Every structure is written in C-alpha cells, then in structure tokens.
C-alpha cells in the first residue's frame, strides 16, 4: 500500500467520520479550517481512488466517495505489509509493541491470551 500524505490521511478521516458516501463538496466543507481549494480536495479524492483506497460512485449527479476499508482494516493491512518487508519479523513486532501505550499492550496481551485458549 502506498504511503499516504497528510492531506490524504485527513480526507480519509473525513470519510471514516462521516460513515456514509460523501461528495467532494462535503469533504471540502469538513476540511474548511485548512482553507483548501475545492479542486485540491477533488484531486486528492481522485488520487485516493486511483490508489484503491476510495471508491467513486459516478451514478449520482455529484460523485460520491467512500473509503474502501475501515480505519482498522487499513491499519491491519499496513502492519501486515510492514511485517512482510521487515528483515526480522519478530524483532519488528517487539519494537512495535515497545512503542504502544500500556493500554494497547494490555489489550494485545488479553487478546493473545484469549486466542491461545481457543
């Protein structure tokens, strides 16, 4: 999966928060504090569509854009890809775990414990 820029991440955040397909105008309005040109938002949505991260429904008069995956699904794919290119998958995972919050570590330990009992 291609690396995402700050604006691409912000646009995806808008789509995830909306929970339903959005027009370019709706995304542009959600990002109003950034004072972006409408065409910049449109280009970013089209770029995300070319990357396969957003779907574009051209059936309506105004095209509707939706994220292809949830935030969590996208993160899982990114982590899986990263582990796939790591020289030492185990070391990479341990370093990742060292960098997460104690709450996230506890949730991970709980999940691993539950999965090992299944």
């Amino acid at each position: 999966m291609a690396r995402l820029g700050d604006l691409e991440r912000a646009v995806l955040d808008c789509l995830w928060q909306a929970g339903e397909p959005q027009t370019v105008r709706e995304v542009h309005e959600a990002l109003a504090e950034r004072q972006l040109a409408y065409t910049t938002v449109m280009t970013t949505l089209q770029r995300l569509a070319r990357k396969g991260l957003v779907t574009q429904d051209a059936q309506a008069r105004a095209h509707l854009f939706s994220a292809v995956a949830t935030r969590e699904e996208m993160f899982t794919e990114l982590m899986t890809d990263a582990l796939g290119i790591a020289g030492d998958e185990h070391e990479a995972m341990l370093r990742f775990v060292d960098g997460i919050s104690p709450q996230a570590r506890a949730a991970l330990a709980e999940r691993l414990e539950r999965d090992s009992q299944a």
Side-chain angles (χ1 to χ4, degrees), residues 2-54:
R3 190 173 185 154
L4 298 177
D6 178 58
L7 181 54
E8 290 173 321
R9 287 192 304 272
V11 167
L12 278 171
D13 277 341
C14 288
L15 295 175
W16 286 324
Q17 288 175 10
E20 61 185 23
Q22 298 289 290
T23 64
V24 176
R25 181 148 322 279
E26 289 169 326
V27 175
H28 181 254
E29 288 171 2
L31 296 172
E33 74 281 352
R34 289 179 172 245
Q35 298 180 337
L36 300 166
Y38 177 89
T39 55
T40 300
V41 175
M42 181 173 57
T43 300
T44 303
L45 282 161
Q46 290 170 340
R47 188 178 320 123
L48 288 168
R50 282 193 304 275
K51 289 181 178 183
L53 301 174
V54 166

Side-chain angles (χ1 to χ4, degrees), residues 44-82:
T44 303
L45 282 161
Q46 290 170 340
R47 188 178 320 123
L48 288 168
R50 282 193 304 275
K51 289 181 178 183
L53 301 174
V54 166
T55 59
Q56 181 177 0
D57 181 1
Q59 300 299 321
R61 182 171 176 261
H63 292 206
L64 294 172
F65 293 85
S66 304
V68 170
T70 66
R71 184 186 315 265
E72 294 76 14
E73 290 166 340
M74 187 173 169
F75 175 76
T76 300
E77 186 175 332
L78 288 168
M79 285 297 299
T80 302
D81 287 351

Side-chain angles (χ1 to χ4, degrees), residues 66-114:
S66 304
V68 170
T70 66
R71 184 186 315 265
E72 294 76 14
E73 290 166 340
M74 187 173 169
F75 175 76
T76 300
E77 186 175 332
L78 288 168
M79 285 297 299
T80 302
D81 287 351
L83 287 173
I85 62 171
D88 182 341
E89 182 179 298
H90 295 94
E91 183 63 24
M93 179 57 72
L94 292 174
R95 286 179 184 246
F96 172 75
V97 170
D98 286 344
I100 61 177
S101 71
Q103 297 85 355
R105 225 177 286 150
L108 177 60
E110 184 179 307
R111 177 65 177 259
L112 290 171
E113 177 66 28
R114 187 180 72 212

